[in-house]
Amino acid sequence: EAGVVQSPRYKIIEKKQPVAFWCNPISGHNTLYWYLQNLGQGPELLIRYENEEAVDDSQLPKDRFSAERLKGVDSTLKIQPAELGDSAVYLCASSLDADPYNEQFFGPGTRLTVL
Amino acid sequence: QKEVEQNSGPLSVPEGAIASLNCTYSDRGSQSFFWYRQYSGKSPELIMFIYSNGDKEDGRFTAQLNKASQYVSLLIRDSQPSDSATYLCAVRVEYGNKLVFGAGTILRVKS
């Protein structure tokens, strides 16, 4: 069974440029998460989807970040415009559903560097 | 006070020793607790979860939970150099049904 797929793996952009990350969750997983992980810190939740509905986006900086999960499968996270402080690893995770006892499986992440 | 706190380390133990990793959390309503291992440059992978007070053993790993003290720990017996990684404690908080991670403890096992 394929795991969570993310692309690109690495991205280097100049500040004020837009950037987008893509995630394909494990087949059959209804819940999808986007996390941000800064160096030396644990992942922090940005947004959680139940199928195509964003049910928790309270930590998403909505002035510059947006996300979508069309058809309840793949998801895209966008930043426009990017700032220096956005340099981090963006992790996508999925779980079977929102049951709090279900395991979350993480993708390899996208390492973003903003110059 | 952070929601989930861990000692950042590094915690250094000799090969074959027991490594003890600790985590405290602030949300008394939390019901499920997870330990993730993260190798440098890699994504987190789940190694243990625990829901009930007491101990849970899986191979060389033992998770311990004390809800009254709001404390979770992970013991790694017979530590191996391959166990060297960052160990993240994650707590499913009651509000918002979301997973909150600690900053992680760096473990170094010396051969």
Side-chain angles (χ1 to χ4, degrees), chain A residues 9-10 33 35 37 40-45 48 50 56 58-59 91 95 97-109 111, chain B residues 2 8 31-32 34 36 38 40-47 49-51 67 86 88 92 95-104:
Chain A
R9 292 293 314 279
Y10 305 91
Y33 313 78
Y35 288 90
Q37 186 172 24
Q41 300 296 316
E44 300 173 35
L45 181 68
R48 172 167 66 97
E50 297 296 335
D56 183 357
S58 57
Q59 301 303 310
L91 293 163
S95 62
D97 55 36
D99 187 312
Y101 301 102
N102 278 336
E103 177 181 353
Q104 292 185 25
F105 295 85
F106 284 84
R111 182 176 298 275
Chain B
K2 292 184 178 180
S8 62
Q31 294 296 320
S32 49
F34 304 82
Y36 283 81
Q38 187 171 28
S40 181
K42 302 295 184 181
S43 58
E45 56 177 335
L46 182 70
I47 53 173
F49 60 86
I50 187 167
Y51 309 139
K67 290 185 179 180
T86 297
L88 298 165
R92 177 77 72 167
Y95 61 91
N97 187 22
K98 69 177 183 181
L99 210 56
V100 177
F101 286 82

Side-chain angles (χ1 to χ4, degrees), chain A residues 56-85:
Chain A
D56 183 357
D57 61 356
S58 57
Q59 301 303 310
L60 190 72
K62 298 181 183 62
D63 57 336
R64 297 184 300 107
F65 286 66
S66 64
E68 61 182 8
R69 190 183 184 197
L70 299 176
K71 299 181 181 179
V73 181
D74 295 0
S75 178
T76 303
L77 179 68
K78 298 178 182 177
I79 308 175
Q80 183 172 10
E83 297 179 351
L84 295 176

